[in-house]
Amino acid sequence: MERDREVAAIEQALADAREGAGGVILIEAPAGKGKSRLLTVAGDLAREAEMQVVGAHGNELEIDFPFGIAIQLFEPRWSAAEALGQRRLLEGAARHVEPLLRGDMPLPGPSPEDQAYSVIHGLFWLCTNLVSGGDPDDEPSPMVMLVDDVQWSDRPSLRFLAYLADRIADLPIALLVALRAGEEIIDRAAVTALRRVAVDRVLRPGSLSESGVDTLVTAVFPDAEPAFAQACGRVTSGNPFLLTELLRQLHRDDAQPNASTAVHLLELPPESVINSVVARLDRLPVSAQKLARTVAVLGPGVPVALVAELAELRLESAVRAADVLAAVHLFASGTQLEFVHPLVAAAVQGTISRLDCGALHRRAADVLMAHGSPAEQVAAHLMAAPPGSDPAVVESLRIAGRRALASGSAPSAVRFLERALAENPPASAHSELLAELAEAESAAGLPHALDRLEHALSLASNSDLRVRLALTQARAYYERCRYREAAAALSQALREVGADHQMVEHLEAAYIASAFFVPELEREAAARAGRLLDRIGRRPSVTQLDV
């Protein structure tokens, strides 16, 4: 209703994509204004036009899950393909995304940012392979990509979307992204890039007009009095989702659509609409209440068997409870357990005490670990659970931190590793953990990273770890144009390691790069460079071959 302009823009974008001219639509509005509904309409229109449709939605709980949105978009298509189809999809640079699709993201190498870029570039080529035919003579297969709640997207996925947007014009792809206005974004530069490419296709659906409210009210209450319709509009501010929920509740309560009811409505604050939705839980069976609160904490997308285990329900009871919740319009219809709207999920979660919520996240992490779920998914729940003293928790968070760093999401790695440090790690793991945190903070460009690196170096006794930290410390100094201090750190490391150490040439190269900017060291740097080039020319080492 009252979305003709938005639907026309979507139809044009889909038509352009079918002609080979890709484009971006950004739908930006507060919660409840119909962003998700517009994406649903876009998917329906695309399927009618026999276009490919892939979709994903952000989840506040998984904002630190590297490439989580990208995995949602492409993993189902890749998993459903036969072996031959998988090989075709991964042709060319797309081969870099195979570990991601298999759930086996490698740990960071010497240059995590370069590693993340190769995955982003690979995802772009995966898109290209998806829309191109199997043979050069095949017709392209246009595609629409739908991403909802991108404000909760992880940083690497946002960067991929921005990377694709800058190159989408020559591809038969329509990229539609929905963003909740006013929310904090983990990577504003990426969203700015999406907005720039969208240009005049930034859609901002507003509240319903008085006429639109009246139309929707009379669709539910044909004999509604004008005062009743006006009161419905005022208490919901014309927000389509809130208005729909209010009317549904009033209809269920057999309310009379007259002036008397209108007076009562005008006394209600807007939050009461959502509260009334949540109040439906109190009238449902205990199994439905337990399932709803468990899903509110876990977020969407968790398999029903795991939700049942966490809710302490038998699988059959959980399935029946899900059907009950869908029947009263708390859960969306379909096979995935999720609420009809994030506003409802947030309101249900608000009914759970912080202590109970933390305990449920901790149990969720245990269950997911037992089922072999990805470290990042486990870590998302550990981040919301109270710290303890569990070595398994520390190790899971460390793995998640390393993978986040490998994916180019250094801030996420910092959060995982800080949480691991709060878990009171055993003494044997403390120095390594501190070193990993220092490296992540340095990669994230945090101002206190140098102090943390200095502390980590003072505790490190392992020579390989000290070399790693020295390289990280020197890189941090170098990026701040503090070349003399970078050279000093590397010189100290070179004195500590032997000439046959596997990283000695990395240290040498880094020292030369820094020393060239220090006047009194420039001549020495030139001499070292000559000797290093001479050694490389004679016999490449295993490390050089890896690089």
Side-chain angles (χ1 to χ4, degrees):
M1 184 175 294
E2 299 186 341
R3 296 293 183 260
D4 292 348
R5 173 181 174 272
E6 289 83 358
V7 173
I10 290 170
E11 289 175 333
Q12 186 60 55
L14 299 183
D16 291 344
R18 292 196 298 274
E19 294 298 320
V24 176
I25 287 182
L26 179 64
I27 307 171
E28 187 172 9
K33 293 296 179 73
K35 301 182 298 298
S36 300
R37 178 61 182 153
L38 285 170
L39 291 183
T40 300
V41 168
D44 292 342
L45 291 171
R47 292 183 188 92
E48 289 175 9
E50 298 184 344
M51 298 175 69
Q52 300 182 76
V53 180
V54 295
H57 62 266
N59 178 356
E60 197 171 11
L61 191 62
E62 296 182 1
I63 200 166
D64 288 320
F65 195 142
F67 290 110
I69 292 292
I71 291 170
Q72 286 185 55
L73 285 169
F74 303 119
E75 185 184 43
R77 298 296 304 276
W78 183 80
S79 299
E82 300 291 338
L84 181 62
Q86 289 183 348
R87 287 198 296 273
R88 190 187 71 76
L89 290 177
L90 297 178
E91 286 177 353
R95 67 184 182 278
H96 294 296
V97 306
E98 183 173 6
L100 184 71
L101 297 174
R102 290 190 184 279
D104 188 28
M105 191 67 190
L107 298 181
S111 302
E113 288 293 329
D114 293 344
Q115 193 169 343
Y117 175 82
S118 69
V119 176
I120 289 171
H121 184 60
L123 286 168
F124 169 76
W125 278 101
L126 176 60
C127 289
T128 302
N129 293 341
L130 276 167
V131 297
S132 63
D135 298 312
D137 296 332
D138 287 349
E139 288 292 320
S141 180
M143 179 168 66
V144 61
M145 297 172 60
L146 309 173
V147 184
D148 201 0
D149 285 325
V150 79
Q151 75 277 356
W152 293 324
S153 171
D154 59 281
R155 185 187 302 268
S157 291
L158 269 176
R159 290 182 176 179
F160 156 64
L161 293 175
Y163 186 91
L164 172 64
D166 279 337
R167 295 158 178 80
I168 204 169
D170 296 325
L171 294 172
I173 298 175
L175 172 61
L176 278 70
V177 176
L179 167 68
R180 185 186 291 190
E183 292 280 342
E184 187 63 33
I185 308 295
I186 200 167
D187 193 331
R188 287 200 170 275
V191 174
T192 299
L194 290 170
R195 193 178 283 114
R196 184 189 68 245
V197 176
V199 195
D200 58 346
R201 285 180 173 172
V202 177
L203 309 180
R204 295 185 173 90
S207 299
L208 294 174
S209 67
E210 187 175 333
S211 174
V213 170
D214 187 63
T215 300
L216 196 54
V217 169
T218 54
V220 179
F221 295 98
D223 56 345
E225 296 180 6
F228 174 81
Q230 290 167 8
C232 289
R234 187 176 302 177
V235 76
T236 61
S237 299
N239 182 296
F241 173 75
L242 295 181
L243 178 59
T244 301
E245 290 302 314
L246 175 64
L247 293 173
R248 181 176 285 112
Q249 188 63 50
L250 291 170
H251 188 268
R252 185 176 290 109
D253 294 342
D254 292 325
Q256 295 302 307
N258 53 30
S260 176
T261 303
V263 171
H264 170 67
L265 288 179
L266 291 174
E267 296 171 352
L268 297 175
E271 305 84 56
S272 63
V273 179
I274 284 297
N275 292 339
S276 70
V277 175
V278 176
R280 295 177 200 165
L281 276 177
D282 296 335
R283 298 190 290 271
L284 299 180
V286 172
S287 59
Q289 295 180 35
K290 292 173 70 173
L291 189 75
R293 293 191 170 99
T294 302
V295 173
V297 171
L298 297 183
V302 181
V304 64
L306 292 186
V307 177
E309 184 175 345
L310 288 166
E312 299 177 333
L313 297 171
R314 296 180 60 183
L315 182 59
E316 298 81 1
S317 297
V319 171
R320 285 196 297 271
D323 290 339
V324 169
L325 290 163
V328 297
H329 201 64
L330 285 172
F331 272 15
S333 58
T335 56
Q336 182 168 287
L337 300 182
E338 62 179 333
F339 285 90
V340 292
H341 198 279
L343 285 173
V344 178
V348 172
Q349 187 170 350
T351 66
I352 308 170
S353 72
R354 292 184 64 181
L355 188 62
D356 288 343
C357 193
L360 186 54
H361 278 297
R362 185 65 182 83
R363 284 177 45 226
D366 289 340
V367 170
L368 290 169
M369 273 194 280
H371 284 266
S373 298
E376 297 88 346
Q377 190 175 3
V378 174
H381 293 287
L382 292 174
M383 295 293 287
S389 297
D390 189 340
V393 168
V394 174
E395 185 57 26
S396 185
L397 288 162
R398 286 179 68 185
I399 293 171
R402 293 172 197 154
R403 289 183 175 170
L405 195 59
S407 302
S409 187
S412 295
V414 170
R415 288 190 285 273
F416 286 139
L417 295 169
E418 284 178 336
R419 173 64 181 81
L421 204 59
E423 188 69 17
N424 191 23
S428 58
H430 188 269
S431 61
E432 279 271 1
L433 174 56
L434 198 65
E436 290 168 6
L437 177 57
E439 290 171 322
E441 288 175 339
S442 180
L446 299 182
H448 59 271
L450 283 168
D451 292 337
R452 180 89 72 180
L453 284 164
E454 192 67 41
H455 184 206
L457 267 167
S458 71
L459 298 178
S461 56
N462 179 282
S463 63
D464 289 345
L465 180 58
R466 290 185 63 79
V467 167
R468 230 175 66 202
L469 286 170
L471 282 166
T472 303
Q473 185 183 42
R475 188 180 299 116
Y477 279 132
Y478 189 95
E479 289 172 353
R480 291 163 174 78
C481 300
R482 295 165 64 174
Y483 307 115
R484 193 182 308 277
E485 290 158 293
L490 293 161
S491 178
Q492 173 66 27
L494 283 164
R495 285 194 295 271
E496 291 181 10
V497 303
D500 58 346
H501 193 281
Q502 62 176 352
M503 294 295 287
V504 70
E505 286 165 359
H506 277 286
L507 290 168
E508 282 277 8
Y511 176 84
I512 292 163
S514 302
F516 262 121
F517 291 97
V518 183
E520 65 268 27
L521 299 177
E522 187 176 353
R523 183 173 297 178
E524 180 202 356
R528 283 179 180 257
R531 292 194 295 271
L532 179 60
L533 288 171
D534 183 53
R535 289 203 305 275
I536 292 173
R538 285 203 310 267
R539 183 181 57 82
S541 67
V542 173
T543 303
Q544 292 160 1
L545 290 172
D546 285 345
V547 172

